[in-house]
Amino acid sequence: MSGGKMLRQIQFWILAALATVLLSGCGSEYLVLNPKGPVAETQYNLIIISTILCAVIIIPVLALTAFIVYRYRDTPGNKAPYKPEWAHNTALEVIWWGIPVVIIAILGYFTVRDVYVLKESPNKEVAPMTIQVTALDWKWMFTYPDQNIATVNYLEIPAGVPIHFQVSAEAPMNSFWVPELGGQIYAMAGMATELYLQADKPGEFQGFSSNFSGKDFAHMQFKVVAKPQDEFNKWVDEVKGTTPAMSKEDYNELKKPGLTEKKLYSAFPEGLFEEILARYSHGHDMHHVMQKQPAEADDKSTETSSETHQMSDMSSMPGMDHSGMKH
């Protein structure tokens, strides 16, 4: 193969790779790179930082590879020096070991920093709202303990309010994911994981199952609707006034394997999420996750009422006394 033809092929593949990367993010349907909240924004920035740091290594390596292939190609008349006895160069060793070490250290710093930031509420000035998420075969159930309503395959939240998700499963291991609001979190039977998400502005977002859990897992999708607080409150009142309450029999039907459409319930059995969690926890203490976030309110009686309701929920779990501690 002639040198000119090889060079053209190298240029073609480089351009093809660049086009694939650059054009893939042109539309808003590329959800991971379309953050709509502070959690997703933090993770997006970490992706960009990681990409830049990786490019510092990848781009020079690819460029040097192309140069070496072209410069030292085996063709008649090539004047490139040939040094078969060359074995070591201290300066080069420092460069190709030192630069990756520095990059890994920088990436590690940003990663650890953001991991700790994302463990907390993204907005300290607004009290978070708790929503409990249960992965079923093959549907998502959401229970709102403060509003005492429940939904299936549909999630409505107030915009500008951090949402504290408590996530578990009564089915094979799954993964709860709303890409435009933040990263995924696993849903596992007998365990409660937690995740903070927030939508900055009103809008509609798509939620997914991002973990294979059976033949219909690809259909485990749900709509997330963020509304202003007053509209969210009206929606809660509408659900309470126009939809039936969920009974234990209704839940037993829901947890059977199969698909279902969007459902709304004006109430749900008290302590349902805690009961699901305790059923498979085998005595493991989930108090650190199940503890609700304290509301920031001037009226101390409101905080006391919230704490009392919290401890009442915990005491309903098998093996818990009224102090929330395990027997």
Side-chain angles (χ1 to χ4, degrees):
M1 179 183 294
S2 66
K5 187 174 182 181
M6 178 179 290
L7 182 59
R8 286 194 297 272
Q9 287 192 354
I10 292 173
Q11 291 174 337
F12 168 79
W13 287 112
I14 291 175
L15 290 174
L18 289 174
T20 300
V21 173
L22 296 176
L23 296 178
S24 62
C26 288
S28 61
E29 69 278 359
Y30 205 62
L31 303 179
V32 176
L33 301 182
N34 188 34
K36 297 297 184 181
V39 175
E41 187 73 32
T42 299
Q43 295 173 340
Y44 171 80
N45 291 336
L46 184 58
I47 291 173
I48 297 301
I49 291 172
S50 303
T51 302
I52 293 173
L53 291 175
C54 290
V56 171
I57 294 178
I58 293 173
I59 292 177
V61 168
L62 292 177
L64 283 172
T65 301
F67 170 76
I68 290 171
V69 169
Y70 176 74
R71 181 71 178 86
Y72 297 96
R73 68 196 185 280
D74 184 14
T75 58
N78 191 342
K79 303 298 184 180
Y82 178 60
K83 299 179 180 179
E85 302 302 324
W86 182 85
H88 180 76
N89 185 297
T90 301
L92 290 177
E93 291 285 350
V94 170
I95 291 173
W96 60 51
W97 285 106
I99 292 177
V101 168
V102 172
I103 288 174
I104 291 172
I106 296 173
L107 182 58
Y109 164 76
F110 284 109
T111 301
V112 172
R113 183 199 66 178
D114 290 347
V115 164
Y116 279 96
V117 167
L118 295 175
K119 285 290 290 181
E120 305 295 332
S121 173
N123 188 347
K124 303 298 184 183
E125 298 178 357
V126 179
M129 187 181 84
T130 298
I131 296 179
Q132 298 162 334
V133 183
T134 305
L136 304 172
D137 274 335
W138 288 275
K139 56 195 77 75
W140 293 99
M141 182 181 73
F142 305 98
T143 50
Y144 296 66
D146 296 327
Q147 291 75 24
N148 191 32
I149 61 173
T151 63
V152 176
N153 289 341
Y154 181 77
L155 184 61
E156 196 148 315
I157 59 175
V161 176
I163 309 299
H164 179 218
F165 288 100
Q166 298 171 341
V167 185
S168 191
E170 187 158 20
M173 179 177 174
N174 219 301
S175 186
F176 172 76
W177 191 27
V178 186
E180 290 176 284
L181 300 184
Q184 63 86 30
I185 191 75
Y186 285 119
M188 296 171 281
M191 297 184 66
T193 53
E194 58 181 341
L195 174 71
Y196 282 98
L197 297 178
Q198 177 181 316
D200 284 333
K201 298 178 181 179
E204 293 188 2
F205 316 102
Q206 193 64 38
F208 301 92
S209 160
S210 61
N211 192 80
F212 180 77
S213 60
K215 70 182 184 70
D216 286 327
F217 91 99
H219 301 287
M220 285 184 68
Q221 300 183 13
F222 57 94
K223 180 185 290 188
V224 182
V225 178
K227 292 182 176 180
Q229 183 69 61
D230 57 341
E231 293 185 23
F232 172 78
N233 294 338
K234 291 179 182 177
W235 173 77
V236 171
D237 293 338
E238 181 181 347
V239 172
K240 284 182 171 292
T242 61
T243 63
M246 179 194 295
S247 64
K248 280 292 185 67
E249 290 74 19
D250 292 329
Y251 175 72
N252 289 334
E253 284 296 316
L254 275 176
K255 72 178 184 179
K256 292 179 180 178
L259 300 176
T260 189
E261 300 296 328
K262 162 186 168 183
K263 292 180 181 292
L264 304 175
Y265 296 96
S266 60
F268 60 92
E270 184 177 357
L272 177 60
F273 184 80
E274 292 80 3
E275 179 183 324
I276 296 168
L277 183 62
R279 187 175 300 146
Y280 305 102
S281 66
H282 304 294
H284 294 296
D285 187 3
M286 290 289 111
H287 183 269
H288 63 288
V289 175
M290 295 307 301
Q291 183 176 6
K292 294 179 182 176
Q293 303 301 308
E296 295 181 6
D298 294 331
D299 186 358
K300 291 184 178 180
S301 64
T302 302
E303 294 185 11
T304 304
S305 173
S306 176
E307 291 172 2
T308 302
H309 177 67
Q310 171 192 330
M311 301 315 297
S312 174
D313 286 346
M314 290 302 303
S315 64
S316 67
M317 295 177 61
M320 296 287 180
D321 61 20
H322 292 283
S323 68
M325 300 300 293
K326 201 164 97 172
H327 292 304

